[in-house]
Amino acid sequence: MVDSTTKKEDGMSKGLLIVFTGNGKGKTTAALGMAMRAAGHGLRVCFIQFIKGSWRYGELEAVKRFAGLIDLHVMGKGFTWKSENIEDDARLAREAWDFARQAINSNSYQIVVLDEFTYLLHYGMLALDPCLQFLTERNPAQHVVITGRYAPPSLLEAADLVTEMQAVKHPLASGIKAQKGIEF
Ligand code: ATP
Ligand code: MG
């Protein structure tokens, strides 16, 4: 039988870079599940939401119940992704990334989640190489979780754990509307 105490300590000795990507549903909820699992151990999680409005009422209310363990921060003030104001988007992206780097460098959190962060890289709002350099040179005990579609191949290369959610079926395609507890 595995000693759960030893196992937990072993788990914290190597910080993982975790990526949930792909077109299927479940990326943000996987990160939330991990945050709640960690909170159950009394670990602290910083959950940074890079696209304003991407979170639904259910998860916002649920996270409030983990106050003191899961800190939620909303970045971006609404990125547009429409290239109408590239300069503005790039500035907001840099500010959001600065905030994320501070959270990662603070050593206050066992896990830092960068939810929907891949879009900043995919749409070229942040330079990929310095981001990867920062992530690979972070405190080696720090877990970082990144979610979002279109994760760049070099990010996947740098990661320790990658799960690609594959869209096999989604109820929306059958005309079934979003439901409480499932989508919001
Ligand atoms: P969730 O927040 O449910 O874990 P996600 O983070 O994997 O989903 P996103 O790409 O962030 O998905 O998109 C968020 C919204 O888009 C969710 O409401 C989700 O149900 C919906 N969605 C995700 N994948 C699909 C799909 N293949 N077809 C239609 N809607 C989808
Ligand atoms: Mg998501």
Side-chain angles (χ1 to χ4, degrees):
M1 209 173 121
V2 179
D3 171 7
S4 65
T5 313
T6 309
K7 203 175 170 202
K8 186 172 76 176
E9 281 164 9
D10 285 348
M12 289 312 297
S13 62
K14 159 77 178 116
L16 299 175
L17 179 58
I18 298 171
V19 179
F20 296 130
T21 191
N23 293 332
K25 172 176 163 63
K27 301 174 289 296
T28 295
T29 42
L32 267 167
M34 200 172 269
M36 287 180 190
R37 175 179 283 170
H41 288 282
L43 303 179
R44 296 196 66 218
V45 180
C46 184
F47 212 114
I48 304 175
Q49 180 193 339
F50 278 82
I51 299 182
K52 189 182 177 187
S54 65
W55 272 41
R56 308 286 175 242
Y57 180 81
E59 52 256 42
L60 290 169
E61 289 302 309
V63 162
K64 279 188 197 164
R65 301 187 190 191
F66 290 83
L69 289 171
I70 304 179
D71 288 346
L72 172 66
H73 297 276
V74 182
M75 296 288 115
K77 297 170 192 153
F79 292 112
T80 62
W81 320 115
K82 289 192 183 124
S83 307
E84 282 161 13
N85 206 332
I86 287 176
E87 291 305 314
D88 261 11
D89 278 354
R91 183 179 48 76
L92 289 173
R94 277 197 305 275
E95 286 171 11
W97 175 232
D98 283 348
F99 184 89
R101 283 190 301 174
Q102 280 171 35
I104 291 169
N105 281 337
S106 70
N107 294 324
S108 303
Y109 302 100
Q110 278 75 36
I111 301 179
V112 176
V113 182
L114 313 181
D115 188 42
E116 319 294 349
F117 181 67
T118 53
Y119 299 97
L120 277 63
L121 301 173
H122 178 71
Y123 291 103
M125 281 170 217
L126 278 183
L128 183 55
D129 287 347
C131 278
L132 289 175
Q133 191 179 351
F134 174 81
L135 289 170
T136 51
E137 291 175 357
R138 75 191 187 283
N139 173 350
Q142 179 69 62
H143 296 304
V144 175
V145 181
I146 293 176
T147 85
R149 298 177 188 208
Y150 320 124
S154 52
L155 176 63
L156 304 187
E157 184 91 8
D160 302 289
L161 191 169
V162 177
T163 298
E164 183 170 359
M165 273 56 176
Q166 189 187 350
V168 177
K169 274 187 174 182
H170 195 288
L172 201 66
S174 316
I176 301 169
K177 63 181 186 350
Q179 296 180 69
K180 192 189 287 183
I182 307 292
E183 296 285 352
F184 62 92

